[in-house]
């Protein structure tokens, strides 16, 4: 059972900007770094953002991350049809002593 | 290039055991902590377990605690997830992933191995 809440779906037109929110509490997002992943079911998930706002090498600048209090946001600009996928936030939960993922958001590029 | 390959998945009956493994290449295995993450059919990602680079610490999701055991042998570059007392709800694709070393994020992932628990 996910303890991080994301919107089930978001959509936008090609070339537009979209944001995906991730809401938690003090024991997870409030006191730990947040990561973001992209996943097409049946394939390997891909790390997009780590430590709230850092991009691994190879991830384009169209992807951005931010955190404020107990919430985090993934931003994606210049949307392409290839961006359609499921997106998950994730962080450590210091109370559970476990890593937790968000509920996941399906991005549709109209 | 970093590669992770999971193996050992299959179809088993409830209450039985299965061991899945993860082989890595392109990294110095003993330097990396490793996660297991799964995705059940039609569900989202669920973190399962984590082991420190030297095997000194392990962590588990409540849903598998007491039934699953993560282990590694750095002399053989092997990582295993022993799954006992399997339940139907353990049916999922199991992925191994390297820890980035910061913020518990999972950086490099394998393609996954399918575990089906069914009578």
């Amino acid at each position: 059972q996910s303890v991080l809440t994301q919107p089930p779906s978001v959509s936008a037109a090609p070339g537009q900007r979209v944001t995906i929110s991730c809401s938690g509490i003090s024991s997870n997002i409030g006191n730990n770094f947040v990561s973001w992943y992209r996943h097409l079911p049946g394939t390997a998930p891909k790390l997009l953002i780590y430590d709230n706002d850092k991009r691994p090498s190879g991830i384009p600048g169209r992807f951005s991350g931010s955190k404020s209090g107990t919430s985090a946001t993934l931003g994606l600009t210049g949307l392409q049809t290839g961006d359609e996928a499921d997106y998950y936030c994730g962080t450590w939960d210091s109370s559970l002593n476990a890593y937790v993922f968000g509920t996941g958001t399906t991005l549709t590029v109209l | 290039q970093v590669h992770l390959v999971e193996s050992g998945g299959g179809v088993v009956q409830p209450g039985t055991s299965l061991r899945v493994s993860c082989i890595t290449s392109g990294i110095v295995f003993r330097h990396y902590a490793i996660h297991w993450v799964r995705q059940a059919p039609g569900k989202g990602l669920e973190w399962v377990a984590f082991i420190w680079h030297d095997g000194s610490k392990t962590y588990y999701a409540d849903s598998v605690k007491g039934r699953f055991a993560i282990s590694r042998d750095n002399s053989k570059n092997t990582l295993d997830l022993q799954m006992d007392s399997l339940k139907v709800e353990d049916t999922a694709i199991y992925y191994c992933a390297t820890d980035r070393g910061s913020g518990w994020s999972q950086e490099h992932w394998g393609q996954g191995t399918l575990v089906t628990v069914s009578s």
Side-chain angles (χ1 to χ4, degrees):
Chain A
Q1 188 171 356
S2 301
V3 297
L4 305 179
T5 302
Q6 299 179 230
S9 63
V10 296
S11 61
Q16 295 297 304
R17 179 179 183 266
V18 71
T19 61
I20 298 173
S21 61
C22 175
S23 179
I25 59 177
S26 59
S27 63
N28 44 61
I29 292 179
N31 283 284
N32 292 287
F33 286 120
V34 177
S35 300
W36 288 91
Y37 306 86
R38 177 172 69 189
H39 187 219
L40 284 166
T43 68
K46 187 177 189 65
L47 178 65
L48 300 173
I49 298 289
Y50 68 96
D51 289 1
N52 302 332
D53 57 9
K54 296 181 176 58
R55 286 178 285 109
S57 61
I59 300 300
R62 301 189 299 114
F63 293 90
S64 64
S66 64
K67 187 184 104 168
S68 178
T70 58
S71 293
T73 301
L74 174 71
L76 179 49
T77 60
L79 278 176
Q80 306 167 2
T81 54
D83 292 327
E84 290 194 330
D86 297 324
Y87 291 81
Y88 295 88
C89 57
T91 187
W92 187 256
D93 190 300
S94 304
S95 291
L96 298 175
N97 258 348
Y99 195 86
V100 290
F101 284 103
T103 48
T105 300
T106 298
L107 170 62
T108 301
V109 181
L110 302 169
Chain B
Q1 191 103 11
V2 179
H3 287 289
L4 290 85
V5 178
E6 303 88 344
S7 63
V11 181
V12 296
Q13 292 190 330
T16 62
S17 300
L18 191 67
R19 177 181 292 244
V20 292
S21 300
C22 176
I23 296 176
T24 68
S25 60
I27 61 170
V28 180
F29 180 72
R30 66 182 183 275
H31 290 173
Y32 284 81
I34 304 287
H35 300 259
W36 282 100
V37 176
R38 68 185 181 183
Q39 185 179 39
K43 303 291 186 181
L45 297 178
E46 180 188 15
W47 178 84
V48 174
F50 171 88
I51 187 167
W52 279 101
H53 61 94
D54 60 359
S56 60
K57 291 185 181 180
T58 58
Y59 297 94
Y60 298 93
D62 283 345
S63 58
V64 306
K65 201 172 292 183
R67 299 188 300 119
F68 288 16
I70 188 172
S71 63
R72 66 190 297 160
D73 185 339
N74 284 347
S75 67
K76 298 179 181 177
N77 286 3
T78 58
L79 178 95
D80 293 324
L81 183 68
Q82 176 68 36
M83 302 183 291
D84 297 328
S85 302
L86 280 162
K87 304 176 181 180
V88 171
E89 51 264 40
D90 294 319
T91 295
I93 297 174
Y94 285 75
Y95 300 95
C96 61
T98 60
D99 185 85
R100 201 186 182 285
S102 175
W104 304 85
S105 57
Q106 296 103 58
E107 183 166 26
H108 301 290
W109 296 68
Q111 294 293 321
T113 186
L114 176 62
V115 173
T116 302
V117 185
S118 173
S119 55

